[in-house]
Amino acid sequence: MKKLAVVVVMLLGAATVFAQQTPWLTDAERARFEELRRSGLDALYNIDYDKAHRDFNEIVKLYPNHPGGYQLQAARLWIKTLYESRRLQVSLYSSESFYTNGDDKVDPKIVTEFRNLTREAKRLAEAKLKQEPKNIEALDFLANTEGLKASFEEAVERRHFAALRDGNDAVDHHREVLKLDPKYIDAQITIGLYEYVVGSLPLPVKILAGATGFRGSKKRGLAMLEQVAKEGRWSQDDAKSVLILLYTREKRFADVLVLTRELSVKYPRNYLLRVETADALVSLAGVKRKEKDLAGAVQAEKEAFATFDELLRDRNVRESATRALDLIHFKYGEALLIAGYNERAAKEFLAATKVDRAEPGLITMAHLFAARSYDVAGKRDEALAQYKEVLARPNVYDAHDEAKRGLRQAYKTEQFKPDAEQ
């Protein structure tokens, strides 16, 4: 349960950072602010971090006394850091190994820059609230900044309980927003997330997180997020992105596919959405096999594998998505391993290690997963060589411990095995 809480709370800042109004600007200033914000956010969703930086930096220059530019720059820095460390992919948070120590610490300069940006955004929002204690926009920015801090503390620094506490502060301020304006639907995204998270936590974690005064409800949280996805002004796509994660956890894979396909059309340069589509198809195939729908399972798997093949051939992905191929090969390997195509899976994992400028931590994990694939395929010698390769590399998550375990005993899995490797 702990991993659910910290994975979801990390999204608090992303989910609400875009739900902003600008009433303390003139009409002309507001129009330019909105133009730059929309352009920058589209760039973020399309994995164009340089353009997002230019747009958000222009906001800072034009409106230095407004928290929006600083907060958006902080959000861009956070998301770019996740992307470059390959932590932006949902399933990379699906293992307890994410919460262990390793040699994948973030650059201290990034931490300092992020803290400076959020500190300035918070200062400006609080200054406005001193003048106008019930200013909805200032409360919203303050909540967003606190949520963004929680996101960074969790996903980058992995300070789990600090993230929960800051997330709690963000929720409190967005509750104030809704008291002042019940129609401010976008504020529900933070509250809905928190409802779902706390509703999923065991009592000991609630105590440590200081959440004992709030019971939470998964059902109520999902309903709030779904309302934002339908009716929100600025946060519709953010709510849909969060629902992809939560629907995946709830094993509502058909609902995941609806959202990933919709967002893929809107943001065609975001190859991660297509990877999420393929992931959901593989998971859906597993469900169909349990339901004895073998034809449906085979069709879902074929579509998933075809999606990965298309991504690997996609010229736009190669040209516009910096260092994308390492993750695509890795995720393709995961899909093949889950489906039982073990030797093919090993080849994809090893292909990830050979991509030019592949992320070092992902290379380590790819060797580990290649070893597991070989073990399941009954090729113990090849598996042992890969486990040793993991130990020769810097440790990330708990890769070294897993490799040592693999050297002692072959990895086993109960996944479906097809009639023959393809």
Side-chain angles (χ1 to χ4, degrees):
M1 284 292 188
K2 181 183 79 171
K3 67 183 179 183
L4 165 69
V6 292
V7 168
V8 177
V9 79
M10 80 178 191
L11 295 169
L12 285 169
T16 60
V17 72
F18 310 139
Q20 301 163 357
Q21 298 176 340
T22 54
W24 67 56
L25 301 177
T26 67
D27 289 345
E29 290 172 335
R30 182 180 302 124
R32 180 57 176 158
F33 182 102
E34 293 297 335
E35 179 185 3
L36 289 167
R37 183 181 66 171
R38 289 183 186 280
S39 175
L41 295 181
D42 281 347
L44 273 186
Y45 266 106
N46 276 310
I47 318 181
D48 188 346
Y49 301 118
D50 290 340
K51 186 179 188 311
H53 175 74
R54 292 193 298 271
D55 289 338
F56 298 153
N57 197 50
E58 184 67 12
I59 293 176
V60 172
K61 290 180 180 179
L62 292 174
Y63 318 111
N65 295 320
H66 192 288
Y70 300 100
Q71 186 183 4
L72 289 166
Q73 281 287 39
R76 175 255 178 200
L77 179 63
W78 166 63
I79 294 172
K80 182 174 184 286
T81 301
L82 289 186
Y83 175 78
E84 292 184 344
S85 63
R86 294 301 181 259
R87 298 179 191 177
L88 199 57
Q89 179 70 21
V90 166
S91 64
L92 294 186
Y93 298 93
S94 63
S95 169
E96 291 292 349
S97 65
F98 175 75
Y99 307 102
T100 62
N101 294 321
D103 299 332
D104 61 333
K105 304 300 182 183
V106 69
D107 186 341
K109 293 181 180 178
I110 291 176
V111 175
T112 298
E113 182 181 358
F114 178 85
R115 290 177 178 171
N116 287 340
L117 288 167
T118 52
R119 186 182 298 114
E120 185 63 9
K122 183 176 181 180
R123 183 187 70 81
L124 291 170
E126 289 179 334
K128 186 68 171 179
L129 285 170
K130 286 182 179 179
Q131 298 173 350
E132 303 174 38
K134 294 185 179 182
N135 185 287
I136 291 177
E137 183 182 12
L139 279 171
D140 187 39
F141 274 109
L142 182 57
N144 295 338
T145 301
E146 289 165 339
L148 190 57
K149 285 178 58 184
S151 305
F152 193 86
E153 288 162 347
E154 174 49 45
V156 176
E157 298 178 288
R158 283 184 272 178
R159 296 168 55 205
H160 308 314
F161 293 113
L164 282 170
R165 286 190 292 271
D166 275 335
N168 186 44
D169 290 340
V171 168
D172 287 343
H173 283 108
H174 266 139
R175 287 195 182 117
E176 292 182 54
V177 169
L178 286 176
K179 286 180 181 178
L180 294 169
D181 183 2
K183 296 182 180 180
Y184 199 99
I185 300 298
D186 291 280
Q188 288 189 177
I189 194 168
T190 309
I191 301 167
L193 274 168
Y194 203 68
E195 283 272 4
Y196 185 95
V197 169
V198 178
S200 305
L201 289 175
L203 182 59
V205 178
K206 287 186 182 182
I207 293 173
L208 288 172
T212 53
F214 181 64
R215 297 181 62 182
S217 166
K218 291 201 301 179
K219 182 178 180 180
R220 186 164 58 242
L222 285 172
M224 295 179 78
L225 290 166
E226 288 164 350
Q227 184 180 9
V228 178
K230 292 179 181 179
E231 302 175 20
R233 181 182 180 190
W234 301 111
S235 297
Q236 286 188 343
D237 291 343
D238 306 305
K240 291 171 185 176
S241 298
V242 175
L243 285 169
I244 289 171
L245 172 63
L246 302 189
Y247 284 160
T248 298
R249 182 179 185 273
E250 298 293 325
K251 302 186 185 305
R252 294 171 54 177
F253 303 117
D255 291 328
V256 173
L257 288 170
V258 170
L259 296 177
T260 58
R261 286 166 170 161
E262 177 186 341
L263 291 175
S264 292
V265 171
K266 187 172 183 179
Y267 303 106
R269 287 177 291 169
N270 190 333
Y271 72 95
L272 292 174
L273 291 166
R274 292 156 70 186
V275 172
E276 295 288 357
T277 297
D279 276 350
L281 284 165
V282 172
S283 297
L284 183 62
V287 172
K288 288 185 176 295
R289 289 190 185 281
K290 290 180 180 179
E291 296 173 347
K292 307 301 182 183
D293 180 7
L294 297 184
V298 170
Q299 179 59 37
E301 283 178 358
K302 285 184 177 179
E303 188 177 347
F305 300 156
T307 299
F308 282 115
D309 288 333
E310 289 170 5
L311 282 166
L312 291 172
R313 294 193 301 267
D314 193 324
R315 187 172 180 178
N316 290 327
V317 170
R318 290 175 175 272
E319 292 179 352
S320 65
T322 305
R323 292 159 53 192
L325 296 181
D326 57 349
L327 182 62
I328 294 172
H329 279 297
F330 185 92
K331 295 303 299 178
Y332 197 177
E334 277 192 325
L336 289 164
L337 182 59
I338 290 171
Y341 298 103
N342 306 307
E343 291 188 56
R344 286 179 62 190
K347 290 179 182 178
E348 291 298 331
F349 288 127
L350 293 179
T353 71
K354 296 178 174 62
V355 172
D356 184 36
R357 296 188 300 154
E359 200 279 320
L362 194 68
I363 293 176
T364 298
M365 297 304 291
H367 281 296
L368 176 63
F369 276 68
R372 291 174 172 177
S373 301
Y374 280 132
D375 259 341
V376 177
K379 296 199 169 188
R380 184 61 176 162
D381 289 342
E382 288 89 339
L384 292 172
Q386 291 302 312
Y387 286 128
K388 292 175 182 177
E389 187 68 30
V390 172
L391 294 175
R393 295 187 54 78
N395 188 28
V396 292
Y397 309 146
D398 58 356
H400 281 192
D401 288 342
E402 291 297 317
K404 292 174 184 177
R405 187 177 294 113
L407 288 172
R408 293 193 300 268
Q409 184 176 5
Y411 178 79
K412 296 179 181 179
T413 180
E414 296 179 354
Q415 75 227 4
F416 161 76
K417 292 193 173 47
D419 293 335
E421 290 281 353
Q422 297 182 359

